[in-house]
Amino acid sequence: MESHSDKAHLPRMLADATLGRLCKWLRMAGIDTRWDAAAPDPERLKQLAGDDRRWVLTRCRRVFDALGSNRCLLVRSSAPADQIRQVMQHFRIERSHLQPLSRCSRCNERMSETKKQTIVGRIPDYVLQSHDRFMSCCRCRRIYWSGSHARRI
């Protein structure tokens, strides 16, 4: 696996409550993306994003108008594939810049490789027998492996 320094610097994101699915897909692509589940509030999002110098992603015109295009992107589509395409085009992110399955899709933490023997009993036996490489999140302890979802990503 390549280290973070081997890849282009990716922008850090903050998705508001209108973009939960996009947030999950960006995380699975390896993009550091926080999610704010609270109702979209421009002041709250500005503060949360500013603390980490993140770009705000929203589908809410009111939020975009309040924050402006300097650190906010108005995502136009409701379809996740189109949303991802817009984000990648806006930030000029190439596929080669991505680090798929390097972040937990649930909590955004970076993941690390895990030995098979440490996860016995935590995943189905057939998965354990049919895969050799596993990643785990140190925060929420979720286990990941390269299944059909990895190809889709």
Side-chain angles (χ1 to χ4, degrees):
M1 175 180 276
E2 294 175 320
S3 71
H4 184 65
S5 61
D6 294 335
K7 297 288 185 177
H9 179 70
L10 296 172
R12 293 160 42 145
M13 314 281 182
L14 170 63
D16 73 9
T18 65
L19 293 169
R21 284 192 307 170
L22 174 62
C23 176
K24 181 178 179 178
W25 281 101
L26 291 173
R27 288 174 176 175
M28 287 192 290
I31 298 173
D32 182 351
T33 310
R34 288 185 55 199
W35 184 57
D36 182 34
D41 171 35
E43 287 306 312
R44 176 182 165 78
L45 291 166
K46 183 178 180 179
Q47 181 181 6
L48 289 172
D51 290 347
D52 290 337
R53 297 194 37 81
R54 292 176 183 272
W55 277 84
V56 174
L57 305 176
T58 187
R59 291 202 64 224
C60 180
R61 170 59 80 172
R62 181 179 53 81
V63 169
F64 179 75
D65 289 344
L67 297 180
S69 62
N70 190 26
R71 299 289 299 174
C72 185
L73 175 64
L74 180 63
V75 177
R76 290 182 173 80
S77 178
S78 60
D82 294 334
Q83 293 172 345
I84 292 167
R85 211 173 346 274
Q86 180 187 355
V87 168
M88 289 185 65
Q89 288 172 351
H90 180 84
F91 294 103
R92 295 185 176 112
I93 300 170
E94 305 284 332
R95 285 183 184 207
S96 62
H97 298 159
L98 301 176
Q99 296 177 292
L101 303 178
S102 62
R103 290 194 168 274
C104 178
S105 64
R106 181 176 289 161
C107 69
N108 195 41
E109 192 70 29
R110 283 187 95 32
M111 294 192 294
S112 59
E113 196 150 356
T114 301
K115 295 184 189 296
K116 252 184 176 183
Q117 60 267 30
T118 65
I119 57 173
V120 173
R122 294 180 54 204
I123 61 172
D125 288 341
Y126 70 90
V127 173
L128 197 63
Q129 293 167 3
S130 60
H131 293 82
D132 292 318
R133 188 166 181 246
F134 297 90
M135 303 293 285
S136 68
C137 174
C138 63
R139 181 184 293 163
C140 72
R141 299 184 33 112
R142 192 169 187 178
I143 307 293
Y144 294 84
W145 58 91
S146 220
S148 59
H149 61 284
R151 287 185 293 280
R152 288 194 311 267
I153 294 168

